[in-house]
Amino acid sequence: MRGFNLLFFWGCCVMHSWERHTGPTLKPTTKDNKCRDSTMCPSHAICTSTVDSYYCACKQGFRSSNGQNHFKDPGVECKGVPFKCKEDVIPDNEQVQQCQERTTVKPEYVSFCAQINNILSVLDKVCENKTTVVSLKNTTESFVPVLKQISTWTNFTKEETSSLATVFLESVESLTLATFLKPSANVTQTVRTDYLDIESKVINKECSEENVNLSLAAKGDKMKIRCSTIEESESTGTTGVAFVSFVGVESVLNERFFQDHQAPLTTSKIKLKMNSRVVGGIMTGEKKDGFSDPVIYTLENIQPKQEFERPICVSWSTDVKGGRWTSFGCVILEASEIHTVCSCNRMANLAVIMASGELTMDFSLYVISHVGMIISLVCLVLAIATFLLCRSIRNHITYLHLHLCVCLLLAKILFLAGIDKTDNQMGCAIIAGFLHYLFLACFFWMLVEAVMLFLMVRNLKVVNYFSSRNIKMLHICAFGYGLPVLVVVISASVQSQGYGMHNRCWLNTETGFIWSFLGPVCTVIAINSILLTWTLWILRQRLSSVNAEVSTLKDTRLLTFKAFAQLFILGCSWVLGIFQIGPVAGVMAYLFTIINSLQGAFIFLIHCLLNHQVREEYKRWITGKMKPSSQSQTSSILLSSMPSTSKTG
């Protein structure tokens, strides 16, 4: 949705992660546990105590330098396996493992296991003799029969299909890496078939110079990788990169496998379609993600991109239900009619999903948020004009109101104009950064207002309290504008890719980066709630003992209304976003949207329309009378409801 609805941001905060199993279940004995000494086994090994001794075993993905599964020799090392074999591809997948057991397979799994064994048989041929030179051409052609039958995968369940896909993609990667183990030629190789293309490149002198980019192509797709990224991969022995593009895989691993963590609370009216071939980036070395320089993938659109469509770069993740497409780790750099450019911080199997329509809420919420935003923007402009032009109310308090209004106005305008500008990654990240700053500035100014309001109520008997304390606006501005800058700078330096997502220009919700906003906001809301509660309590106790002119206020109900309206002005109502769960989620969504989209209207109503001095000034403007005001500018502007009639002494 293009409009204002920050309620989605609150629902995307808590992210889940799954720790992958890294080795066999070990049950060390309790007697004479020799594994207490962490130096007994080398790195990437697990120590297991026996009754009278111990042994070491390399973790999955690693092999001992002496070729033995169990060892005690201190000189043995566990080295990363250059390519995976069957036992490395299927360690965590129960569905696939049952196909490898020497028992009768259940009838419903016969077809599935036949496909799995067909894929793994290609892997077994290479793993049986790891000293054999593996030909890239033979490797490519060995997977053609699998791809010819890929249309039959649609007969399986979603979990079975994703398991097949994971085994297939990892097998292709493994055998491609095997071709680098003893390369038949120290050159770039390209193998083309009707079902897949692979281009591989053995790195020799290509990366001898700095800032060198390497480009690989397969079918109509391309991959660009920097030499600095290849160096980060911690490759030992022959170093190489490869790029593969599959034909037909996208029809099976389609949009129904897309797992969007970034908008779990939305009512999805979005239409998705797979619009590229599935491609894969492959590189030697143990490190596969978290690179300093991103890998750039240029994918050819199957159908021309329409103006109303929005591309999403997705990579295949095995962390969920055998495998799912996720947008984590990749962002859009550029989207044209025929190509989509993705920037990823990982080597991945990648595709492009086109989204048409919107991730929307109910239509009624859409209308409410838009109408509320328009009303708030108009009211904020009027309030800013009032605070600047109305001389009779100029003081420290109105200057605070002015800064808050300016921040809210800029934040809401930028939100409406730029939240959905996701076509350009850099532009989207900049918009997200400014939104982060502006909304943080709004909350820090709300905090300043809450503190000042509390001090003013606590010192009701002190006339011109703020003037007597010589409070400098420069110091307050340094807090209101400077602290948000500090938060944004620290956040950007820690995780620069946290700004911008595939569906909106906001903070990334998958990596926990959203807490760089929610953390300060929740803190401000908590402090403001405490201060406002304390303020209302003090006001209730002292109202009857204030000077006679203030205590003669007749309309106590109006004063009460204005006091409680500070809940909305000071941002305390944002806490409603936390309670959008369970059976009350719908009600809370409506309350949150209505109250917070009208924050500007509340400010104009309380601080301007219901302020006697301002109303008098409005009357003079309308009638054209320029009557000088002799009213003092004292702390009686409390809650913008008490007329300023006390004389300065």
Side-chain angles (χ1 to χ4, degrees):
M1 189 198 70
R2 293 173 183 266
F4 172 76
N5 197 357
L6 286 174
L7 62 93
F8 294 152
F9 299 160
W10 289 87
C12 304
C13 315
V14 181
M15 308 310 299
H16 300 282
S17 63
W18 290 265
E19 183 179 339
R20 300 193 67 178
H21 187 56
T22 57
T25 302
L26 301 171
K27 296 181 179 179
T29 60
T30 55
K31 295 182 179 180
D32 192 22
N33 189 350
K34 298 182 181 299
C35 289
R36 291 176 181 173
D37 186 354
S38 60
T39 62
M40 298 297 290
C41 293
S43 300
H44 308 299
I46 297 173
C47 181
T48 304
S49 290
T50 59
V51 176
D52 55 359
S53 185
Y54 75 97
Y55 65 84
C56 302
C58 293
K59 295 179 180 178
Q60 289 179 358
F62 295 86
R63 293 286 184 271
S64 63
S65 56
N66 65 358
Q68 297 179 357
N69 292 331
H70 297 163
F71 58 89
K72 291 192 293 184
D73 187 349
V76 176
E77 296 180 350
C78 288
K79 297 183 178 180
V81 179
F83 62 93
K84 295 180 179 179
C85 290
K86 180 168 58 180
E87 60 271 19
D88 302 307
V89 170
I90 63 172
D92 301 324
N93 196 312
E94 293 181 3
Q95 283 184 308
V96 179
Q97 284 177 342
Q98 69 182 355
C99 297
Q100 305 300 308
E101 296 175 356
R102 297 182 182 272
T103 56
T104 303
V105 178
K106 294 180 181 179
E108 60 268 28
Y109 295 124
V110 170
S111 181
F112 169 73
C113 287
Q115 293 280 2
I116 287 291
N117 293 331
N118 189 25
I119 297 171
L120 293 178
S121 65
V122 179
L123 205 57
D124 286 340
K125 293 176 183 178
V126 176
C127 290
E128 287 173 0
N129 189 354
K130 297 180 182 178
T131 61
T132 304
V133 175
V134 181
S135 165
L136 182 67
K137 184 176 184 297
N138 293 340
T139 296
T140 305
E141 293 176 349
S142 65
F143 286 108
V144 170
V146 177
L147 290 171
K148 284 183 177 180
Q149 300 179 20
I150 199 169
S151 59
T152 62
W153 291 10
T154 56
N155 299 326
F156 302 121
T157 65
K158 192 174 181 180
E159 282 66 34
E160 288 173 340
T161 303
S162 61
S163 296
L164 275 168
T166 297
V167 171
F168 172 71
L169 293 172
E170 290 197 1
S171 296
V172 172
E173 178 185 6
S174 183
L175 289 189
T176 304
L177 289 173
T179 64
F180 291 121
L181 194 59
K182 290 187 177 181
S184 56
N186 294 326
V187 294
T188 298
Q189 297 184 74
T190 302
V191 179
R192 295 186 175 90
T193 70
D194 292 338
Y195 292 90
L196 77 159
D197 286 3
I198 298 181
E199 180 178 357
S200 70
K201 189 185 293 289
V202 176
I203 308 301
N204 288 317
K205 298 179 180 179
E206 291 86 351
C207 290
S208 58
E209 298 179 4
E210 294 183 0
N211 302 321
V212 175
N213 291 319
L214 300 180
S215 296
L216 297 93
K219 298 295 182 186
D221 308 309
K222 298 177 182 178
M223 180 181 78
K224 185 169 69 174
I225 184 171
R226 295 178 68 90
C227 283
S228 58
T229 302
I230 297 173
E231 292 171 0
E232 277 187 63
S233 68
E234 302 171 0
S235 180
T236 57
T238 303
T239 301
V241 292
F243 182 61
V244 56
S245 180
F246 304 96
V247 175
V249 177
E250 74 281 352
S251 63
V252 178
L253 298 185
N254 53 26
E255 60 277 359
R256 71 192 181 107
F257 290 91
F258 178 43
Q259 177 117 351
D260 187 9
H261 294 287
Q262 296 179 347
L265 299 183
T266 57
T267 301
S268 181
K269 295 181 181 179
I270 197 170
K271 294 180 180 179
L272 301 172
K273 69 175 182 181
M274 189 68 74
N275 202 39
S276 78
R277 287 177 290 271
V278 175
V279 303
I282 302 168
M283 180 168 58
T284 56
E286 296 177 13
K287 186 174 181 179
K288 303 296 182 183
D289 56 16
F291 298 118
S292 302
D293 294 315
V295 182
I296 308 300
Y297 299 89
T298 302
L299 278 65
E300 185 178 46
N301 296 334
I302 294 175
Q303 296 178 354
K305 175 185 175 295
Q306 305 298 316
E307 289 186 2
F308 58 85
E309 290 181 322
R310 174 170 44 83
I312 306 170
C313 290
V314 293
S315 60
W316 188 253
S317 172
T318 59
D319 288 338
V320 185
K321 299 178 181 178
R324 289 293 185 271
W325 291 118
T326 174
S327 60
F328 173 67
C330 295
V331 294
I332 296 289
L333 270 187
E334 182 184 335
S336 67
E337 187 176 341
I338 58 175
H339 288 100
T340 301
V341 182
C342 302
S343 173
C344 303
N345 62 358
R346 57 194 294 202
M347 300 298 289
N349 292 294
L350 200 74
V352 171
I353 291 177
M354 283 294 180
S356 58
E358 298 291 340
L359 289 175
T360 66
M361 55 185 140
D362 294 338
F363 180 72
S364 54
L365 277 177
Y366 175 85
V367 173
I368 290 171
S369 64
H370 272 72
V371 172
M373 279 290 288
I374 293 171
I375 293 173
S376 273
L377 290 175
V378 172
C379 290
L380 286 171
V381 171
L382 293 174
I384 291 171
T386 300
F387 297 142
L388 288 174
L389 301 176
C390 190
R391 295 183 179 180
S392 62
I393 63 169
R394 283 186 186 173
N395 56 27
H396 285 88
I397 299 301
T398 53
Y399 278 125
L400 300 184
H401 301 336
L402 176 62
H403 287 288
L404 175 58
C405 288
V406 169
C407 289
L408 280 172
L409 181 68
L410 293 177
K412 292 188 176 186
I413 289 176
L414 182 58
F415 187 93
L416 283 176
I419 191 66
D420 60 348
K421 305 300 182 184
T422 57
D423 290 343
N424 183 279
Q425 181 205 10
M426 183 58 69
C428 183
I430 292 173
I431 290 172
F434 274 107
L435 282 174
H436 188 196
Y437 170 74
L438 288 172
F439 277 113
L440 281 179
C442 290
F443 275 93
F444 279 108
W445 279 107
M446 292 176 201
L447 176 60
V448 171
E449 287 220 14
V451 172
M452 292 302 181
L453 181 63
F454 169 74
L455 293 175
M456 192 163 54
V457 170
R458 196 183 66 174
N459 297 276
L460 275 176
K461 295 183 180 182
V462 180
V463 180
N464 286 329
Y465 171 75
F466 291 110
S467 298
S468 65
R469 290 289 183 261
N470 192 28
I471 297 176
K472 294 182 178 180
M473 282 302 300
L474 182 62
H475 296 161
I476 297 176
C477 288
F479 176 84
Y481 292 118
L483 211 54
V485 169
L486 185 62
V487 173
V488 172
V489 168
I490 293 175
S491 302
S493 61
V494 171
Q495 191 179 139
S496 58
Q497 289 193 333
Y499 290 104
M501 296 184 293
H502 70 81
N503 59 349
R504 57 180 175 261
C505 298
W506 184 238
L507 279 63
N508 194 305
T509 57
E510 286 194 344
T511 60
F513 188 72
I514 187 68
W515 282 103
S516 63
F517 173 73
L518 292 182
V521 166
C522 291
T523 303
V524 170
I525 290 175
I527 295 174
N528 282 5
S529 299
I530 294 171
L531 287 176
L532 189 57
T533 302
W534 197 349
T535 298
L536 293 175
W537 176 258
I538 295 175
L539 184 63
R540 177 178 175 273
Q541 296 293 320
R542 296 192 177 184
L543 191 59
S544 59
S545 61
V546 184
N547 66 68
E549 291 177 294
V550 175
S551 62
T552 56
L553 286 172
K554 297 179 181 179
D555 197 350
T556 56
R557 287 178 299 177
L558 181 62
L559 176 60
T560 303
F561 165 74
K562 293 175 180 179
F564 279 102
Q566 295 293 324
L567 283 169
F568 313 126
I569 294 175
L570 298 180
C572 299
S573 56
W574 277 60
V575 75
L576 294 173
I578 298 175
F579 299 104
Q580 292 178 42
I581 54 175
V584 297
V587 176
M588 290 299 174
Y590 275 90
L591 287 175
F592 183 87
T593 303
I594 293 170
I595 293 172
N596 290 297
S597 64
L598 290 172
Q599 188 174 9
F602 277 115
I603 292 175
F604 181 65
L605 175 67
I606 301 303
H607 294 318
C608 297
L609 293 183
L610 296 182
N611 186 309
H612 176 72
Q613 289 175 280
V614 175
R615 290 201 305 272
E616 290 298 318
E617 196 74 29
Y618 286 164
K619 289 178 183 178
R620 284 196 289 273
W621 290 347
I622 294 172
T623 59
K625 296 180 180 180
M626 300 297 295
K627 188 181 296 182
S629 174
S630 60
Q631 292 177 313
S632 66
Q633 300 161 19
T634 70
S635 60
S636 58
I637 199 171
L638 169 64
L639 300 179
S640 297
S641 62
M642 303 181 185
S644 220
T645 55
S646 41
K647 306 292 179 183
T648 57

